[in-house]
Amino acid sequence: MSSSDNPDTVTDRGLFGKKKEDDKKEEDEKEEGGGGFIEKVKDFIHDIGEKIEEAVGFGKPSADVSGIHIPHIGLHRADLVIDVLIKNPNPVPIPLVDIDYLIDSDGRKLVAGLIPDAGTIHAHGEETVKVPITISFDHIKDTYGDIQPGSIIPYLVRVILLVDVPIFGRIKIPLEKSGEIPVPYKPDVDVDKIKFHHFSFEETTATIHLSLENKNDFDLGLNLLQYEMWLGDDSVVNAELTESTKIDKQGITKMQIPFKFRPKDLGSAVWDMIRGRGTGYTIKGKIDVDTPFGNMKLPIDKVGGTTKLKKEDDDDDDEE
């Protein structure tokens, strides 16, 4: 279980917060000993420890950040998993007392936490310990005004492992790993026009001309578009489109979506469109996209837009 960015859980036990206190304690001890009896005792214990280590085969464990995965990323948060490979050269299991972690971006703290009692590393073995971390994009945007939605930011993961090793006692193993992560921005959607091909009171066939604008600094590979559209207060289409389309970063993609509706079942907004007048529309849904950082499901919505219904033989000044 991982503690979130909570001062009560991080400050009391966090190894980062204890570093200055430990350093001061060591300085005080050196001053009291004055390089005399206490230092000689320490040297004696150190020498004894080395002899026992050579005889029994004890050694300090090693560790490395072997990978960082993003199993989920969306508009509001990203779930990261930090893989830490720990090797134990000792003939006995060693307990992993604490895992203390901190993620920052150019000195700005994104999240910090502590995982207590993180398990045991087998004798003469190695194990990959997974450290789950959640980064809140809402928190980042509320806290740091210079981090813009849609941008890609650098991050640095700092992990300190506290392990309890025979002979050596409790030791800290510091680790670091850097990378990049996006702060996603939902795409803008607009209905440019609705063009009908066949009209009757029972069934009218038409095509929605849609614009999707990607406001992110990375490409979106569209896999699925789910949407519902209203003309005035009337829902005219509720469907999904499975079409692979690339939406370039900071770019606009045009889409044409065929649909059918029954004018006789709808209200005055549809009839205003049929008479050539503009009418208000609302479109809501979501898109499923692939990104360099993993799959995302992003919402789309536009409320209060205005569009017109055009006949198939109308000339289009804005045709792509």
Side-chain angles (χ1 to χ4, degrees):
M1 175 178 173
S2 170
S3 62
S4 62
D5 191 3
N6 188 327
D8 293 335
T9 58
V10 178
T11 304
D12 291 344
R13 299 191 60 193
L15 300 176
F16 291 102
K18 292 162 57 182
K19 186 175 186 302
K20 290 184 178 179
E21 181 181 340
D22 293 344
D23 291 343
K24 185 176 184 305
K25 184 178 179 182
E26 289 177 4
E27 290 177 2
D28 293 342
E29 289 176 350
K30 287 182 180 178
E31 289 178 0
E32 291 175 4
F37 177 74
I38 293 179
E39 291 301 318
K40 290 179 180 179
V41 171
K42 286 183 178 180
D43 291 340
F44 175 76
I45 294 174
H46 178 74
D47 292 340
I48 293 295
E50 286 185 342
K51 289 182 172 59
I52 295 175
E53 176 189 346
E54 292 173 2
V56 183
F58 283 103
K60 294 181 179 180
S62 62
D64 185 37
V65 177
S66 58
I68 298 178
H69 312 284
I70 307 177
H72 169 82
I73 186 167
L75 194 63
H76 301 289
R77 77 174 202 276
D79 296 332
L80 280 67
V81 176
I82 315 298
D83 290 341
V84 179
L85 178 62
I86 307 174
K87 297 181 180 180
N88 177 19
N90 298 291
V92 295
I94 58 172
L96 181 53
V97 181
D98 283 333
I99 299 176
D100 205 1
Y101 64 83
L102 169 70
I103 300 182
D104 67 57
S105 177
D106 292 333
R108 296 165 296 197
K109 186 176 76 169
L110 304 183
V111 65
L114 179 74
I115 303 176
D117 304 323
T120 301
I121 312 303
H122 299 297
H124 293 304
E126 61 181 50
E127 187 172 345
T128 297
V129 177
K130 297 186 179 297
V131 183
I133 300 174
T134 295
I135 295 177
S136 169
F137 296 132
D138 292 335
H139 167 73
I140 291 174
K141 289 180 285 189
D142 291 343
T143 306
Y144 306 110
D146 58 329
I147 297 181
Q148 299 298 318
S151 61
I152 299 172
I153 60 173
Y155 69 82
L156 180 64
V157 176
R158 293 186 175 94
V159 177
I160 293 181
L161 307 177
L162 181 62
V163 294
D164 197 349
V165 184
I167 307 302
F168 298 97
R170 291 193 172 188
I171 62 174
K172 302 172 186 177
I173 306 176
L175 306 170
E176 289 187 355
K177 189 80 170 181
S178 60
E180 290 184 329
I181 195 168
V183 181
Y185 199 2
K186 71 177 183 180
D188 273 357
V189 59
D190 279 303
V191 176
D192 300 325
K193 62 190 173 188
I194 300 175
K195 198 171 203 179
F196 71 84
H197 311 292
H198 170 73
F199 175 80
S200 74
F201 291 106
E202 294 296 329
E203 183 177 85
T204 292
T205 59
T207 299
I208 301 172
H209 289 245
L210 198 69
S211 292
L212 278 176
E213 181 179 3
N214 178 14
K215 294 190 172 184
N216 295 285
D217 289 337
F218 50 91
D219 296 340
L220 302 177
L222 181 65
N223 301 314
L224 175 68
L225 167 65
Q226 293 180 323
Y227 65 97
E228 182 173 6
M229 189 176 77
W230 292 260
L231 296 176
D233 297 327
D234 301 309
S235 176
V236 294
V237 58
N238 186 350
E240 65 180 39
L241 178 69
T242 54
E243 179 179 323
S244 297
T245 302
K246 180 184 176 184
I247 311 176
D248 293 330
K249 61 181 181 181
Q250 301 298 334
I252 298 176
T253 292
K254 303 285 187 178
M255 304 180 68
Q256 297 184 16
I257 306 173
F259 73 105
K260 299 176 181 179
F261 65 99
R262 291 162 57 94
K264 73 173 188 177
D265 296 337
L266 303 177
S268 61
V270 174
W271 290 106
D272 286 342
M273 291 189 68
I274 293 172
R275 296 186 184 102
R277 303 171 186 169
T279 191
Y281 72 86
T282 298
I283 186 167
K284 294 183 179 181
K286 66 179 180 180
I287 58 173
D288 181 292
V289 293
D290 292 327
T291 78
F293 308 95
N295 180 265
M296 295 186 194
K297 293 176 175 58
L298 300 174
I300 58 170
D301 64 80
K302 180 65 176 286
V303 179
T306 302
T307 190
K308 289 186 177 182
L309 189 67
K310 294 188 176 183
K311 297 180 181 179
E312 189 170 26
D313 57 356
D314 284 349
D315 291 331
D316 293 317
D317 296 330
D318 56 348
E319 198 73 60
E320 290 292 309

PDB file of all heavy atoms in Angstrom, residues 116-147:
ATOM      1  N   PRO A 116       5.878   1.061   3.578  1.00  0.00           N
ATOM      2  CA  PRO A 116       6.531   0.341   4.675  1.00  0.00           C
ATOM      3  C   PRO A 116       6.428  -1.173   4.501  1.00  0.00           C
ATOM      4  O   PRO A 116       5.543  -1.679   3.792  1.00  0.00           O
ATOM      5  CB  PRO A 116       5.732   0.802   5.900  1.00  0.00           C
ATOM      6  CG  PRO A 116       4.352   1.064   5.350  1.00  0.00           C
ATOM      7  CD  PRO A 116       4.539   1.553   3.935  1.00  0.00           C
ATOM      8  N   ASP A 117       7.358  -1.888   5.144  1.00  0.00           N
ATOM      9  CA  ASP A 117       7.322  -3.361   5.168  1.00  0.00           C
ATOM     10  C   ASP A 117       7.098  -3.918   3.762  1.00  0.00           C
ATOM     11  O   ASP A 117       6.108  -4.599   3.490  1.00  0.00           O
ATOM     12  CB  ASP A 117       6.215  -3.848   6.112  1.00  0.00           C
ATOM     13  CG  ASP A 117       6.369  -3.290   7.513  1.00  0.00           C
ATOM     14  OD1 ASP A 117       7.519  -3.156   7.969  1.00  0.00           O
ATOM     15  OD2 ASP A 117       5.344  -2.962   8.145  1.00  0.00           O
ATOM     16  N   ALA A 118       8.043  -3.620   2.876  1.00  0.00           N
ATOM     17  CA  ALA A 118       7.850  -3.904   1.448  1.00  0.00           C
ATOM     18  C   ALA A 118       8.202  -5.331   1.039  1.00  0.00           C
ATOM     19  O   ALA A 118       8.194  -5.639  -0.161  1.00  0.00           O
ATOM     20  CB  ALA A 118       8.663  -2.917   0.614  1.00  0.00           C
ATOM     21  N   GLY A 119       8.519  -6.208   1.993  1.00  0.00           N
ATOM     22  CA  GLY A 119       8.749  -7.604   1.639  1.00  0.00           C
ATOM     23  C   GLY A 119      10.125  -8.086   2.059  1.00  0.00           C
ATOM     24  O   GLY A 119      10.837  -7.445   2.839  1.00  0.00           O
ATOM     25  N   THR A 120      10.507  -9.255   1.523  1.00  0.00           N
ATOM     26  CA  THR A 120      11.784  -9.901   1.856  1.00  0.00           C
ATOM     27  C   THR A 120      12.462 -10.370   0.579  1.00  0.00           C
ATOM     28  O   THR A 120      11.800 -10.890  -0.333  1.00  0.00           O
ATOM     29  CB  THR A 120      11.551 -11.105   2.795  1.00  0.00           C
ATOM     30  OG1 THR A 120      10.902 -10.655   3.998  1.00  0.00           O
ATOM     31  CG2 THR A 120      12.867 -11.772   3.166  1.00  0.00           C
ATOM     32  N   ILE A 121      13.771 -10.173   0.519  1.00  0.00           N
ATOM     33  CA  ILE A 121      14.553 -10.640  -0.616  1.00  0.00           C
ATOM     34  C   ILE A 121      15.209 -11.963  -0.229  1.00  0.00           C
ATOM     35  O   ILE A 121      15.912 -12.054   0.784  1.00  0.00           O
ATOM     36  CB  ILE A 121      15.630  -9.613  -1.026  1.00  0.00           C
ATOM     37  CG1 ILE A 121      15.016  -8.208  -1.130  1.00  0.00           C
ATOM     38  CG2 ILE A 121      16.280 -10.021  -2.342  1.00  0.00           C
ATOM     39  CD1 ILE A 121      13.864  -8.105  -2.095  1.00  0.00           C
ATOM     40  N   HIS A 122      14.982 -13.006  -1.034  1.00  0.00           N
ATOM     41  CA  HIS A 122      15.463 -14.350  -0.702  1.00  0.00           C
ATOM     42  C   HIS A 122      16.992 -14.415  -0.674  1.00  0.00           C
ATOM     43  O   HIS A 122      17.683 -13.633  -1.317  1.00  0.00           O
ATOM     44  CB  HIS A 122      14.925 -15.367  -1.701  1.00  0.00           C
ATOM     45  CG  HIS A 122      13.425 -15.457  -1.717  1.00  0.00           C
ATOM     46  ND1 HIS A 122      12.691 -15.869  -0.631  1.00  0.00           N
ATOM     47  CD2 HIS A 122      12.526 -15.157  -2.688  1.00  0.00           C
ATOM     48  CE1 HIS A 122      11.407 -15.829  -0.929  1.00  0.00           C
ATOM     49  NE2 HIS A 122      11.275 -15.401  -2.178  1.00  0.00           N
ATOM     50  N   ALA A 123      17.493 -15.390   0.078  1.00  0.00           N
ATOM     51  CA  ALA A 123      18.933 -15.592   0.181  1.00  0.00           C
ATOM     52  C   ALA A 123      19.520 -15.944  -1.190  1.00  0.00           C
ATOM     53  O   ALA A 123      18.916 -16.728  -1.951  1.00  0.00           O
ATOM     54  CB  ALA A 123      19.227 -16.709   1.176  1.00  0.00           C
ATOM     55  N   HIS A 124      20.671 -15.376  -1.488  1.00  0.00           N
ATOM     56  CA  HIS A 124      21.350 -15.610  -2.774  1.00  0.00           C
ATOM     57  C   HIS A 124      20.380 -15.470  -3.939  1.00  0.00           C
ATOM     58  O   HIS A 124      20.423 -16.247  -4.904  1.00  0.00           O
ATOM     59  CB  HIS A 124      21.990 -17.006  -2.798  1.00  0.00           C
ATOM     60  CG  HIS A 124      23.120 -17.153  -1.830  1.00  0.00           C
ATOM     61  ND1 HIS A 124      24.224 -16.326  -1.814  1.00  0.00           N
ATOM     62  CD2 HIS A 124      23.306 -18.050  -0.807  1.00  0.00           C
ATOM     63  CE1 HIS A 124      25.049 -16.702  -0.844  1.00  0.00           C
ATOM     64  NE2 HIS A 124      24.514 -17.733  -0.212  1.00  0.00           N
ATOM     65  N   GLY A 125      19.499 -14.507  -3.842  1.00  0.00           N
ATOM     66  CA  GLY A 125      18.483 -14.360  -4.893  1.00  0.00           C
ATOM     67  C   GLY A 125      18.327 -12.915  -5.335  1.00  0.00           C
ATOM     68  O   GLY A 125      18.996 -12.002  -4.843  1.00  0.00           O
ATOM     69  N   GLU A 126      17.437 -12.730  -6.279  1.00  0.00           N
ATOM     70  CA  GLU A 126      17.104 -11.396  -6.746  1.00  0.00           C
ATOM     71  C   GLU A 126      15.597 -11.324  -6.978  1.00  0.00           C
ATOM     72  O   GLU A 126      14.952 -12.338  -7.256  1.00  0.00           O
ATOM     73  CB  GLU A 126      17.860 -11.036  -8.030  1.00  0.00           C
ATOM     74  CG  GLU A 126      17.567 -11.947  -9.213  1.00  0.00           C
ATOM     75  CD  GLU A 126      18.361 -11.540 -10.444  1.00  0.00           C
ATOM     76  OE1 GLU A 126      19.589 -11.363 -10.341  1.00  0.00           O
ATOM     77  OE2 GLU A 126      17.742 -11.419 -11.524  1.00  0.00           O
ATOM     78  N   GLU A 127      15.075 -10.157  -6.834  1.00  0.00           N
ATOM     79  CA  GLU A 127      13.627  -9.984  -6.953  1.00  0.00           C
ATOM     80  C   GLU A 127      13.324  -8.593  -7.490  1.00  0.00           C
ATOM     81  O   GLU A 127      13.998  -7.627  -7.136  1.00  0.00           O
ATOM     82  CB  GLU A 127      12.970 -10.168  -5.592  1.00  0.00           C
ATOM     83  CG  GLU A 127      11.443 -10.172  -5.636  1.00  0.00           C
ATOM     84  CD  GLU A 127      10.830 -10.560  -4.305  1.00  0.00           C
ATOM     85  OE1 GLU A 127      11.555 -11.089  -3.436  1.00  0.00           O
ATOM     86  OE2 GLU A 127       9.622 -10.316  -4.135  1.00  0.00           O
ATOM     87  N   THR A 128      12.319  -8.529  -8.363  1.00  0.00           N
ATOM     88  CA  THR A 128      11.857  -7.240  -8.869  1.00  0.00           C
ATOM     89  C   THR A 128      10.680  -6.781  -8.019  1.00  0.00           C
ATOM     90  O   THR A 128       9.634  -7.420  -7.986  1.00  0.00           O
ATOM     91  CB  THR A 128      11.432  -7.330 -10.341  1.00  0.00           C
ATOM     92  OG1 THR A 128      12.575  -7.693 -11.132  1.00  0.00           O
ATOM     93  CG2 THR A 128      10.896  -5.998 -10.833  1.00  0.00           C
ATOM     94  N   VAL A 129      10.887  -5.688  -7.330  1.00  0.00           N
ATOM     95  CA  VAL A 129       9.845  -5.106  -6.476  1.00  0.00           C
ATOM     96  C   VAL A 129       9.147  -4.002  -7.262  1.00  0.00           C
ATOM     97  O   VAL A 129       9.802  -3.132  -7.845  1.00  0.00           O
ATOM     98  CB  VAL A 129      10.450  -4.530  -5.185  1.00  0.00           C
ATOM     99  CG1 VAL A 129       9.368  -3.859  -4.344  1.00  0.00           C
ATOM    100  CG2 VAL A 129      11.142  -5.627  -4.394  1.00  0.00           C
ATOM    101  N   LYS A 130       7.833  -4.052  -7.319  1.00  0.00           N
ATOM    102  CA  LYS A 130       7.055  -3.075  -8.073  1.00  0.00           C
ATOM    103  C   LYS A 130       6.549  -1.973  -7.137  1.00  0.00           C
ATOM    104  O   LYS A 130       5.916  -2.267  -6.117  1.00  0.00           O
ATOM    105  CB  LYS A 130       5.890  -3.753  -8.788  1.00  0.00           C
ATOM    106  CG  LYS A 130       6.360  -4.774  -9.834  1.00  0.00           C
ATOM    107  CD  LYS A 130       5.206  -5.342 -10.639  1.00  0.00           C
ATOM    108  CE  LYS A 130       5.704  -6.325 -11.682  1.00  0.00           C
ATOM    109  NZ  LYS A 130       6.570  -5.680 -12.678  1.00  0.00           N
ATOM    110  N   VAL A 131       6.849  -0.730  -7.522  1.00  0.00           N
ATOM    111  CA  VAL A 131       6.453   0.422  -6.719  1.00  0.00           C
ATOM    112  C   VAL A 131       5.357   1.181  -7.478  1.00  0.00           C
ATOM    113  O   VAL A 131       5.634   1.845  -8.471  1.00  0.00           O
ATOM    114  CB  VAL A 131       7.649   1.355  -6.464  1.00  0.00           C
ATOM    115  CG1 VAL A 131       7.236   2.522  -5.569  1.00  0.00           C
ATOM    116  CG2 VAL A 131       8.822   0.583  -5.848  1.00  0.00           C
ATOM    117  N   PRO A 132       4.096   1.063  -7.047  1.00  0.00           N
ATOM    118  CA  PRO A 132       3.004   1.769  -7.738  1.00  0.00           C
ATOM    119  C   PRO A 132       2.907   3.226  -7.284  1.00  0.00           C
ATOM    120  O   PRO A 132       2.935   3.522  -6.089  1.00  0.00           O
ATOM    121  CB  PRO A 132       1.759   0.980  -7.321  1.00  0.00           C
ATOM    122  CG  PRO A 132       2.103   0.436  -5.966  1.00  0.00           C
ATOM    123  CD  PRO A 132       3.599   0.216  -5.950  1.00  0.00           C
ATOM    124  N   ILE A 133       2.796   4.129  -8.257  1.00  0.00           N
ATOM    125  CA  ILE A 133       2.724   5.559  -7.968  1.00  0.00           C
ATOM    126  C   ILE A 133       1.653   6.181  -8.860  1.00  0.00           C
ATOM    127  O   ILE A 133       1.566   5.852 -10.049  1.00  0.00           O
ATOM    128  CB  ILE A 133       4.078   6.255  -8.223  1.00  0.00           C
ATOM    129  CG1 ILE A 133       5.176   5.654  -7.338  1.00  0.00           C
ATOM    130  CG2 ILE A 133       3.971   7.751  -7.988  1.00  0.00           C
ATOM    131  CD1 ILE A 133       6.562   6.183  -7.647  1.00  0.00           C
ATOM    132  N   THR A 134       0.853   7.067  -8.306  1.00  0.00           N
ATOM    133  CA  THR A 134      -0.157   7.793  -9.077  1.00  0.00           C
ATOM    134  C   THR A 134       0.189   9.272  -9.102  1.00  0.00           C
ATOM    135  O   THR A 134       0.423   9.880  -8.053  1.00  0.00           O
ATOM    136  CB  THR A 134      -1.561   7.599  -8.472  1.00  0.00           C
ATOM    137  OG1 THR A 134      -1.939   6.220  -8.591  1.00  0.00           O
ATOM    138  CG2 THR A 134      -2.587   8.449  -9.217  1.00  0.00           C
ATOM    139  N   ILE A 135       0.231   9.838 -10.303  1.00  0.00           N
ATOM    140  CA  ILE A 135       0.475  11.268 -10.492  1.00  0.00           C
ATOM    141  C   ILE A 135      -0.851  11.917 -10.874  1.00  0.00           C
ATOM    142  O   ILE A 135      -1.494  11.504 -11.835  1.00  0.00           O
ATOM    143  CB  ILE A 135       1.523  11.525 -11.587  1.00  0.00           C
ATOM    144  CG1 ILE A 135       2.882  10.964 -11.163  1.00  0.00           C
ATOM    145  CG2 ILE A 135       1.643  13.009 -11.887  1.00  0.00           C
ATOM    146  CD1 ILE A 135       3.965  11.119 -12.221  1.00  0.00           C
ATOM    147  N   SER A 136      -1.252  12.929 -10.118  1.00  0.00           N
ATOM    148  CA  SER A 136      -2.506  13.641 -10.381  1.00  0.00           C
ATOM    149  C   SER A 136      -2.228  14.851 -11.271  1.00  0.00           C
ATOM    150  O   SER A 136      -1.534  15.782 -10.870  1.00  0.00           O
ATOM    151  CB  SER A 136      -3.146  14.097  -9.060  1.00  0.00           C
ATOM    152  OG  SER A 136      -4.211  14.995  -9.309  1.00  0.00           O
ATOM    153  N   PHE A 137      -2.790  14.831 -12.479  1.00  0.00           N
ATOM    154  CA  PHE A 137      -2.631  15.974 -13.375  1.00  0.00           C
ATOM    155  C   PHE A 137      -3.432  17.178 -12.880  1.00  0.00           C
ATOM    156  O   PHE A 137      -3.022  18.328 -13.101  1.00  0.00           O
ATOM    157  CB  PHE A 137      -3.050  15.601 -14.795  1.00  0.00           C
ATOM    158  CG  PHE A 137      -2.184  14.544 -15.419  1.00  0.00           C
ATOM    159  CD1 PHE A 137      -2.739  13.445 -16.059  1.00  0.00           C
ATOM    160  CD2 PHE A 137      -0.798  14.647 -15.366  1.00  0.00           C
ATOM    161  CE1 PHE A 137      -1.939  12.474 -16.635  1.00  0.00           C
ATOM    162  CE2 PHE A 137       0.009  13.683 -15.942  1.00  0.00           C
ATOM    163  CZ  PHE A 137      -0.557  12.589 -16.574  1.00  0.00           C
ATOM    164  N   ASP A 138      -4.549  16.926 -12.238  1.00  0.00           N
ATOM    165  CA  ASP A 138      -5.329  18.032 -11.678  1.00  0.00           C
ATOM    166  C   ASP A 138      -4.496  18.781 -10.630  1.00  0.00           C
ATOM    167  O   ASP A 138      -4.496  20.014 -10.582  1.00  0.00           O
ATOM    168  CB  ASP A 138      -6.621  17.509 -11.045  1.00  0.00           C
ATOM    169  CG  ASP A 138      -7.583  16.954 -12.084  1.00  0.00           C
ATOM    170  OD1 ASP A 138      -7.500  17.367 -13.254  1.00  0.00           O
ATOM    171  OD2 ASP A 138      -8.416  16.093 -11.727  1.00  0.00           O
ATOM    172  N   HIS A 139      -3.783  18.025  -9.791  1.00  0.00           N
ATOM    173  CA  HIS A 139      -2.922  18.648  -8.779  1.00  0.00           C
ATOM    174  C   HIS A 139      -1.799  19.444  -9.438  1.00  0.00           C
ATOM    175  O   HIS A 139      -1.484  20.570  -9.007  1.00  0.00           O
ATOM    176  CB  HIS A 139      -2.327  17.572  -7.867  1.00  0.00           C
ATOM    177  CG  HIS A 139      -1.213  18.053  -6.998  1.00  0.00           C
ATOM    178  ND1 HIS A 139      -1.404  18.860  -5.902  1.00  0.00           N
ATOM    179  CD2 HIS A 139       0.147  17.866  -7.090  1.00  0.00           C
ATOM    180  CE1 HIS A 139      -0.242  19.134  -5.339  1.00  0.00           C
ATOM    181  NE2 HIS A 139       0.717  18.557  -6.041  1.00  0.00           N
ATOM    182  N   ILE A 140      -1.197  18.890 -10.479  1.00  0.00           N
ATOM    183  CA  ILE A 140      -0.095  19.577 -11.163  1.00  0.00           C
ATOM    184  C   ILE A 140      -0.575  20.890 -11.759  1.00  0.00           C
ATOM    185  O   ILE A 140       0.063  21.944 -11.596  1.00  0.00           O
ATOM    186  CB  ILE A 140       0.501  18.670 -12.259  1.00  0.00           C
ATOM    187  CG1 ILE A 140       1.232  17.484 -11.621  1.00  0.00           C
ATOM    188  CG2 ILE A 140       1.454  19.461 -13.159  1.00  0.00           C
ATOM    189  CD1 ILE A 140       1.720  16.460 -12.623  1.00  0.00           C
ATOM    190  N   LYS A 141      -1.723  20.858 -12.445  1.00  0.00           N
ATOM    191  CA  LYS A 141      -2.231  22.072 -13.094  1.00  0.00           C
ATOM    192  C   LYS A 141      -2.662  23.116 -12.067  1.00  0.00           C
ATOM    193  O   LYS A 141      -2.514  24.323 -12.299  1.00  0.00           O
ATOM    194  CB  LYS A 141      -3.385  21.703 -14.029  1.00  0.00           C
ATOM    195  CG  LYS A 141      -2.931  20.955 -15.273  1.00  0.00           C
ATOM    196  CD  LYS A 141      -4.080  20.601 -16.202  1.00  0.00           C
ATOM    197  CE  LYS A 141      -4.898  19.451 -15.688  1.00  0.00           C
ATOM    198  NZ  LYS A 141      -5.892  18.950 -16.681  1.00  0.00           N
ATOM    199  N   ASP A 142      -3.196  22.662 -10.922  1.00  0.00           N
ATOM    200  CA  ASP A 142      -3.609  23.603  -9.881  1.00  0.00           C
ATOM    201  C   ASP A 142      -2.412  24.206  -9.142  1.00  0.00           C
ATOM    202  O   ASP A 142      -2.474  25.345  -8.660  1.00  0.00           O
ATOM    203  CB  ASP A 142      -4.525  22.901  -8.871  1.00  0.00           C
ATOM    204  CG  ASP A 142      -5.879  22.546  -9.460  1.00  0.00           C
ATOM    205  OD1 ASP A 142      -6.231  23.113 -10.510  1.00  0.00           O
ATOM    206  OD2 ASP A 142      -6.563  21.684  -8.885  1.00  0.00           O
ATOM    207  N   THR A 143      -1.308  23.442  -9.039  1.00  0.00           N
ATOM    208  CA  THR A 143      -0.170  23.871  -8.238  1.00  0.00           C
ATOM    209  C   THR A 143       0.851  24.675  -9.038  1.00  0.00           C
ATOM    210  O   THR A 143       1.403  25.656  -8.550  1.00  0.00           O
ATOM    211  CB  THR A 143       0.523  22.644  -7.603  1.00  0.00           C
ATOM    212  OG1 THR A 143      -0.451  21.869  -6.876  1.00  0.00           O
ATOM    213  CG2 THR A 143       1.629  23.073  -6.658  1.00  0.00           C
ATOM    214  N   TYR A 144       1.091  24.246 -10.276  1.00  0.00           N
ATOM    215  CA  TYR A 144       2.142  24.866 -11.083  1.00  0.00           C
ATOM    216  C   TYR A 144       1.529  25.464 -12.343  1.00  0.00           C
ATOM    217  O   TYR A 144       1.230  24.763 -13.308  1.00  0.00           O
ATOM    218  CB  TYR A 144       3.216  23.843 -11.446  1.00  0.00           C
ATOM    219  CG  TYR A 144       3.794  23.128 -10.239  1.00  0.00           C
ATOM    220  CD1 TYR A 144       3.526  21.776  -9.999  1.00  0.00           C
ATOM    221  CD2 TYR A 144       4.594  23.805  -9.330  1.00  0.00           C
ATOM    222  CE1 TYR A 144       4.042  21.123  -8.899  1.00  0.00           C
ATOM    223  CE2 TYR A 144       5.120  23.162  -8.219  1.00  0.00           C
ATOM    224  CZ  TYR A 144       4.834  21.826  -8.004  1.00  0.00           C
ATOM    225  OH  TYR A 144       5.346  21.190  -6.901  1.00  0.00           O
ATOM    226  N   GLY A 145       1.355  26.783 -12.332  1.00  0.00           N
ATOM    227  CA  GLY A 145       0.715  27.456 -13.448  1.00  0.00           C
ATOM    228  C   GLY A 145       1.539  27.454 -14.721  1.00  0.00           C
ATOM    229  O   GLY A 145       1.004  27.664 -15.814  1.00  0.00           O
ATOM    230  N   ASP A 146       2.856  27.209 -14.604  1.00  0.00           N
ATOM    231  CA  ASP A 146       3.698  27.224 -15.794  1.00  0.00           C
ATOM    232  C   ASP A 146       3.686  25.890 -16.532  1.00  0.00           C
ATOM    233  O   ASP A 146       4.265  25.783 -17.619  1.00  0.00           O
ATOM    234  CB  ASP A 146       5.137  27.597 -15.424  1.00  0.00           C
ATOM    235  CG  ASP A 146       5.724  26.639 -14.391  1.00  0.00           C
ATOM    236  OD1 ASP A 146       4.957  26.116 -13.554  1.00  0.00           O
ATOM    237  OD2 ASP A 146       6.944  26.414 -14.419  1.00  0.00           O
ATOM    238  N   ILE A 147       3.059  24.865 -15.970  1.00  0.00           N
ATOM    239  CA  ILE A 147       2.920  23.588 -16.672  1.00  0.00           C
ATOM    240  C   ILE A 147       1.589  23.608 -17.419  1.00  0.00           C
ATOM    241  O   ILE A 147       0.520  23.587 -16.816  1.00  0.00           O
ATOM    242  CB  ILE A 147       2.972  22.398 -15.692  1.00  0.00           C
ATOM    243  CG1 ILE A 147       4.344  22.346 -15.009  1.00  0.00           C
ATOM    244  CG2 ILE A 147       2.700  21.092 -16.424  1.00  0.00           C
ATOM    245  CD1 ILE A 147       4.509  21.198 -14.032  1.00  0.00           C
TER     246      ILE A 147
END
